[in-house]
Amino acid sequence: MKKSVIGFTIAGALLAGGYATTSLAAENDQKTTTETSPKKWEMKMKGYGHFGGGFFKRNSEDLLEKAKELNISTTGKDAETLMKEIRTEQIKKVAKELGIKTSGKGIETLAEEVQLVKLQKKAKNLGISTKDKNAAELHEAIHLAQLKKEAKELGVSTDGKDAETLRQDIRQASLIKKAKELSISTDGKDLQTLQQEVMTASIQKEAKELGISTDGKELRELAHEVMTAKVKAEAKKLNITIDGKTIPEIAMEVQEKKVQNLAKELGISTKDKSTRELIEAIKEKDADKLEALRGDDFFPIGKGGFGPGGHRGKGKHHDGGKRFGSDAPSGGEVQPQLNEENPAEIGNDI
C-alpha cells in the first residue's frame, strides 16, 4: 500500500508561500481545471513549459552550472538568454537519444517531435494504440488509462466514466478511506469539510508522533513545525548539511538526493543529468520503483510543493455540495495530487 502523502500537501502549501485551510481541496481539484485541458497541453507542447525540470531551481548558480555542463558560453548573457539556449541544447540532446533527426528543424518543431515520441512510447507500454493520434490525444488516453488503474486499486468502478468523473470518484474514495483511518465520521459532511478535518487530524497525528506539542497552536504554526522536523530528519538520514539553508532548500536537496540514490541503485549514470532527466531514466527502467518513490513526502514530481513548479489548483472545493453517508465507498490513501501523469511529467521537460 502506498504511503499517504497528506503530509506533503501541508508541506507544499507552507513552502509555496503560506497555508490555506482549503489547500487540500485546491490541490485535489487541480486536475479538473486547466492542467488537463487539451489546450493547456498544446501550449506546453509549443514551448511554454520548461526543459530539464527546474535547472534554475534556487539561484543563478544553478543556471550557470547547467550551461557549463552543456558547453554553453555564459559571458554577457542574462538568465533569460541562457534559459533559452539551455532549453535548445537539451531538446537536441533528447532528440538524438530518441533517434530523431535534428538537421534542418526549428527548435519548436523538434520539441513537438520529442514530445510525440515520448508519448508514443508511454502509450505503447500501457497497451494504448498510437495510430493516427496526435500528442494531445495520446496524453488524454494515457491520463485516462492511469486514472482507471488507480480507480481499480481503490475499488472504484470505471464503467462508462470519463476522466473528470473518475478523478472525482477516486478523490472521494481516497478521502473517505483516510477519514476512516483517522476515526473521522463522514456522515452528512461535504467534501471540503471532510478534507479540512482530515488535514487537521493528520497534522496533529504527525505532531504527536514527532513529539511536538500541539497546545495552543494554530494549525498553520503546527504544520510548519511538523514539516520542519520532517525535512531536517530526512536531511540527517541522507547526510545533507542544513547550515544556513532554508527549509525549502533543504527539502529540494532531499528530493534530489533520493532521486540520485534510486538512479544509482538501478545502475543509471547520474553524471551531468538533471533531476528531471534522472526521473525520466528511472521511469523507463523501472516504473514501479519510481511509483514507490512517489509515496514519499519529499518526492512531488510536479505535484506541487518543494520543487519548482509547485502551485495551487483552482478548482471548486465543494464538489457541488455533495455529502457523504455511512454507505460511502472506501478507497486508497488520500493523495492531494492523483497518481497520474500530468503534462509536466510525461516528458514535458520542454
Side-chain angles (χ1 to χ4, degrees), residues 45-318:
M45 285 278 297
K46 296 182 184 299
Y48 290 86
H50 61 271
F51 196 92
F55 50 77
F56 50 98
K57 52 191 169 289
R58 286 189 290 276
N59 50 48
S60 59
E61 290 181 7
D62 293 322
L63 185 59
L64 294 172
E65 183 180 345
K66 191 63 184 179
K68 184 179 179 181
E69 288 176 7
L70 295 168
N71 297 315
I72 296 171
S73 172
T74 60
T75 305
K77 297 175 183 176
D78 60 17
E80 184 177 356
T81 300
L82 282 176
M83 282 188 276
K84 287 180 180 178
E85 291 189 23
I86 288 170
R87 176 177 178 268
T88 296
E89 290 304 311
Q90 289 194 308
I91 291 171
K92 289 180 178 179
K93 178 183 174 184
V94 175
K96 289 177 181 177
E97 290 173 353
L98 294 172
I100 299 171
K101 293 181 180 180
T102 61
S103 179
K105 296 177 182 176
I107 197 61
E108 298 308 331
T109 298
L110 196 56
E112 290 179 10
E113 288 187 30
V114 166
Q115 293 290 4
L116 182 58
V117 171
K118 284 190 172 185
L119 285 165
Q120 287 172 337
K121 288 178 67 176
K122 181 72 174 179
K124 287 177 181 177
N125 288 338
L126 292 170
I128 297 170
S129 172
T130 61
K131 187 178 180 181
D132 299 328
K133 290 179 182 174
N134 61 29
E137 290 168 336
L138 284 172
H139 170 255
E140 290 300 306
I142 290 168
H143 176 64
L144 183 59
Q146 290 171 328
L147 282 175
K148 286 182 177 180
K149 179 183 176 183
E150 185 173 0
K152 185 177 180 180
E153 291 173 355
L154 291 168
V156 173
S157 171
T158 63
D159 295 342
K161 296 178 182 177
D162 60 16
E164 183 174 354
T165 302
L166 278 175
R167 280 194 297 270
Q168 295 295 335
D169 288 352
I170 289 169
R171 179 184 173 207
Q172 175 181 325
S174 298
L175 185 62
I176 291 172
K177 183 171 187 283
K178 187 62 182 179
K180 289 181 177 179
E181 289 175 0
L182 294 167
S183 300
I184 296 172
S185 171
T186 62
D187 292 345
K189 296 174 182 175
D190 63 37
L191 192 58
Q192 184 181 13
T193 299
L194 192 57
Q195 285 173 324
Q196 180 61 37
E197 289 186 19
V198 166
M199 185 155 52
T200 299
S202 294
I203 294 170
Q204 292 174 339
K205 181 174 181 286
E206 286 198 87
K208 185 177 180 181
E209 291 172 351
L210 291 166
I212 298 172
S213 172
T214 62
D215 294 343
K217 294 177 183 175
E218 293 184 356
L219 196 60
R220 175 176 177 169
E221 179 187 0
L222 189 58
H224 180 76
E225 288 188 33
V226 166
M227 285 315 303
T228 296
K230 291 179 74 173
V231 168
K232 288 181 177 179
E234 288 294 311
K236 186 176 181 180
K237 288 179 187 176
L238 296 168
N239 295 316
I240 295 171
T241 61
I242 65 173
D243 300 351
K245 298 173 185 174
T246 64
I247 295 301
E249 286 175 335
I250 298 168
M252 175 67 76
E253 286 193 43
V254 167
Q255 174 193 329
E256 292 172 346
K257 189 67 174 288
K258 291 196 172 195
V259 172
Q260 289 170 359
N261 287 347
L262 180 55
K264 290 175 182 177
E265 178 187 324
L266 295 173
I268 298 169
S269 172
T270 60
K271 186 178 180 181
D272 298 334
K273 290 182 181 175
S274 68
T275 301
R276 171 66 63 181
E277 289 168 331
L278 288 176
I279 288 170
E280 288 295 318
I282 292 169
K283 186 190 300 181
E284 289 186 14
K285 189 157 188 177
D286 195 330
D288 289 340
K289 286 284 182 70
L290 185 63
E291 185 64 24
L293 197 57
R294 282 176 178 275
D296 195 306
D297 286 350
F298 299 91
F299 190 67
I301 313 186
K303 295 183 179 184
F306 300 134
H311 57 284
R312 297 280 197 282
K314 291 183 180 180
K316 57 194 176 185
H317 299 316
H318 287 279

